[in-house]
Amino acid sequence: GDFDFTRSGSATRINSQGLIETVANGVSRLNYPLIDGKVVGCPHHMLEPQSTNLLIYSEDFSNAAWLKLRASVVSNSAISPDGTLNASSFIEDTSNGTHILYRNNVATGNGQNTLSVKVKANGRNWVLLYDAENGDRVFFDLENGIAGSTIGSPDAFSINALPNGWYDISLTSTSTAKVDFQIYLAESDGVSSYTGNGVSGIYVYGAQLEFNSYQTSYIPTVASAVTRSAETANGSGDASTFNDSEGVLMAEISALANDGTFRILSLSNGATSNEIKIQLSSADNTIGYGVVVGGIPQIDAFYTANNTLLNNKIAAKYK
């Protein structure tokens, strides 16, 4: 209510039921936190940079754009994380070998790319997410919600519980010019080649490939790549709103990644010569607080948190 919010185009959030929901052009996103697949606590206002999902038909795995090896796909087989009947079954055949759903030669760029997809066990409790262009891969356990073996040198990976037995899995790796996005069914941790039974597999929904060092919120696509615009929220007050001689600057925030960069929230006169700031440091899991008056730093304090990727409540008192 107090901010001037802008975003061109729609975007998704996690709603109060824990489901993925699309909000319209220019509507700000109150994203609800999930712990163990359940909504816990109050929502937070989500602001994200511009990002593009480079995978077309992100929900339609029966489309010819998605290739299948020793496997088949059946559309509209289960309720997806958006609460509708639009998730697909990815089912192994009876051959001996790997059972793969994949897209190869997806153009991205020379740098870090993040692959992500929503998955749920359906006879197979293990799945392998694989960037075959550079060999980085991670096994994920869909029964216990944990990562298993890694092969290659992934830059990062994650598994997060969604409601109703779904998991959001991701893999970040460094590629050159293209990515081979591959999802393997696995018999167990480290075992992705086996004789299938013709009926077991997983449910899949919401595949995403971003030319980013971290995963952002889901961007649905159909016949072409889709870009979510950057968001801004300005106009929270001016000098007449705040007591400039004393107060508390408080934020409840989480980092998208520990990626070696500074990210700063500040109250200022429009310049860095007079500001009060809370920052996520370039050092992993490090939170900073600083005050600058007339261009002269008054304090620079740093605190090592357990995990800045989780929500932390930070309060800095000044006088």
Side-chain angles (χ1 to χ4, degrees):
D2 293 332
F3 292 95
D4 297 325
F5 175 81
T6 61
R7 185 192 61 251
S8 174
S10 62
T12 65
R13 67 163 185 157
I14 301 296
N15 67 17
S16 59
Q17 286 74 50
L19 301 175
I20 296 173
E21 177 182 77
T22 299
V23 300
N25 174 33
V27 176
S28 63
R29 293 183 286 167
L30 291 178
N31 196 73
Y32 284 78
L34 292 172
I35 298 178
D36 297 329
K38 298 179 181 179
V39 171
V40 178
C42 297
H44 59 274
H45 188 208
M46 182 161 59
L47 296 174
E48 290 185 307
Q50 176 177 297
S51 189
T52 300
N53 185 357
L54 297 162
L55 292 177
I56 62 174
Y57 298 104
S58 64
E59 299 171 15
D60 184 6
F61 298 94
S62 63
N63 188 277
W66 285 96
L67 304 177
K68 298 90 181 174
L69 179 63
R70 304 184 191 93
S72 61
V73 166
V74 180
S75 299
N76 303 326
S77 299
I79 302 298
S80 80
D82 73 7
T84 61
L85 184 65
N86 61 353
S88 299
S89 295
F90 166 29
I91 304 167
E92 64 196 35
D93 68 8
T94 56
S95 301
N96 182 24
T98 53
H99 310 274
I100 316 173
L101 175 64
Y102 65 103
R103 289 279 312 282
N104 284 346
N105 300 315
V106 183
T108 57
N110 185 3
Q112 287 185 306
N113 298 277
T114 297
L115 298 65
S116 60
V117 64
K118 283 71 173 162
V119 291
K120 180 179 179 179
N122 181 29
R124 290 296 171 196
N125 293 328
W126 284 89
V127 64
L128 171 68
L129 189 57
Y130 185 16
D131 179 359
E133 193 271 339
N134 61 21
D136 291 341
R137 67 200 94 165
V138 182
F139 286 85
F140 293 98
D141 179 354
L142 305 185
E143 182 178 14
N144 298 302
I146 57 175
S149 302
T150 63
I151 300 171
S153 302
D155 298 334
F157 53 88
S158 66
I159 178 168
N160 294 297
L162 302 172
N164 305 314
W166 284 90
Y167 289 94
D168 190 354
I169 60 174
S170 74
L171 165 67
T172 300
S173 61
T174 301
S175 303
T176 56
K178 64 186 180 71
V179 168
D180 295 343
F181 187 114
Q182 302 191 358
I183 309 165
Y184 283 59
L185 297 174
E187 189 174 42
S188 58
D189 187 16
V191 180
S192 57
S193 181
Y194 61 94
T195 301
N197 60 25
V199 295
S200 295
I202 62 171
Y203 296 117
V204 290
Y205 170 85
Q208 186 152 299
L209 171 59
E210 303 171 83
F211 187 43
N212 278 341
S213 62
Y214 53 86
Q215 178 186 0
T216 69
S217 61
Y218 175 50
I219 306 168
T221 68
V222 184
S224 61
V226 173
T227 298
R228 181 196 59 245
S229 298
E231 295 163 305
T232 62
N234 298 312
S236 59
D238 55 25
S240 63
T241 307
F242 297 97
N243 178 355
D244 62 359
S245 61
E246 61 180 323
V248 176
L249 177 59
M250 184 271 181
E252 182 175 355
I253 56 175
S254 62
L256 290 172
N258 281 314
D259 59 3
T261 62
F262 275 91
R263 286 136 293 170
I264 299 172
L265 297 172
S266 68
L267 292 174
S268 74
N269 64 346
T272 57
S273 57
N274 291 286
E275 66 173 354
I276 300 149
K277 60 186 177 181
I278 291 173
Q279 61 191 15
L280 293 169
S281 171
S282 57
D284 286 359
N285 298 318
T286 303
I287 297 166
Y289 164 60
V291 176
V292 180
V293 178
I296 300 174
Q298 306 297 306
I299 183 173
D300 273 307
F302 294 92
Y303 173 78
T304 301
N306 289 331
N307 187 352
T308 55
L309 301 181
L310 302 178
N311 266 2
N312 286 272
K313 292 184 178 180
I314 306 156
K317 178 182 177 182
Y318 62 93
K319 186 174 183 178

